[in-house]
Amino acid sequence: MLYPFFSRLRLPKLSYASEHSFTLSGVEVRFSVPPMSTKWGTQEIFRENFNLYDKNDYVRKDKDKTPFISCYITDWDVKGVPFFQETKGTVPLYVSASHWKGEGNLFRPCDMEAALTEFDEREYGDDKKCDKSVTTFLNWTPVIINGQQWLHYKVEQEAGSVTHLFLWIIAISDQHYLTFSFPTRAYNFQPEVLEAMKDFSAQIMQSVKITFPDWVLRLKAEAQEKWPDEQYSPTKEPLRWVREDPPPMRFDEASYNARHGITDGSTGLETEDLDSEVDEQFK
């Protein structure tokens, strides 16, 4: 049985996890996850080998400012008491490799942090047509997982409901980084549900193992020699973009009168006609 039976809050058992792997120009990535379990969709089969330097491997063929390769996607429902068939939320997983086209060397900590800041400013900033309030770099933590240095933080997006995005990111070349992204959503927000989602994501991350080929090890060694004392910031100030809800739509009587040549202040409409006009504006 994939889910525990006697529990108020149920996520897939990690004892059912199986190993998946792929390579990115020789960078080997291994991780273990339970089988996909959601009401919607089926598990997609992904390739096992990608070329970081082949634009055809990227979504939109490397046209974006920070293009990415979609390496693996899956999804799990978070369930409540089994007798009520209740779903409390979802925990998807997106694994991707991104090509950073900006300046700097991603094996240099300050350049990696600057790249992530610039990406989020471009993704969520005021010049972006984003209708959500967003806070990024929450709970920023440099963390070692199976001998490799990662960056971990959370992004909150709010537009009616709140989506919590748990991210683990690691540089895999001087121009590329790998992301494990868990964009969790709780249908009826409860702190214990979010905490269970976070713990589930963190446990999956403990299975991630990365093996670098010689060409990457040389780049890492060169960066270490050039910037020997640089470390990732132990903490980072969150970035926030607060957006107000748009005002409700209203029937514009003045606009209607102008379109229909009415100048005496009367709409000239019966009640049912006015209702029809309002409906038409909301289509």
Side-chain angles (χ1 to χ4, degrees), residues 143-202:
V143 59
I144 302 295
I145 300 176
N146 293 318
Q148 302 295 347
Q149 177 73 71
W150 293 74
L151 291 172
H152 170 54
Y153 59 94
K154 182 176 73 167
V155 179
E156 287 186 359
Q157 301 182 27
E158 184 174 358
S161 61
V162 180
T163 298
H164 300 265
L165 176 63
F166 297 107
L167 294 167
W168 281 264
I169 299 175
I170 185 173
I172 56 174
S173 88
D174 57 340
Q175 298 177 315
H176 302 86
Y177 58 86
L178 180 71
T179 302
F180 276 69
S181 171
F182 299 84
T184 61
R185 180 184 293 276
Y187 297 142
N188 295 310
F189 178 75
Q190 297 172 311
E192 63 269 23
V193 176
L194 180 62
E195 192 64 26
M197 292 174 167
K198 176 184 175 182
D199 290 345
F200 179 75
S201 304

Side-chain angles (χ1 to χ4, degrees), residues 131-152:
D131 59 356
K132 301 178 181 179
S133 293
V134 179
T135 306
T136 185
F137 299 137
L138 291 164
N139 304 328
W140 170 277
T141 309
V143 59
I144 302 295
I145 300 176
N146 293 318
Q148 302 295 347
Q149 177 73 71
W150 293 74
L151 291 172
H152 170 54

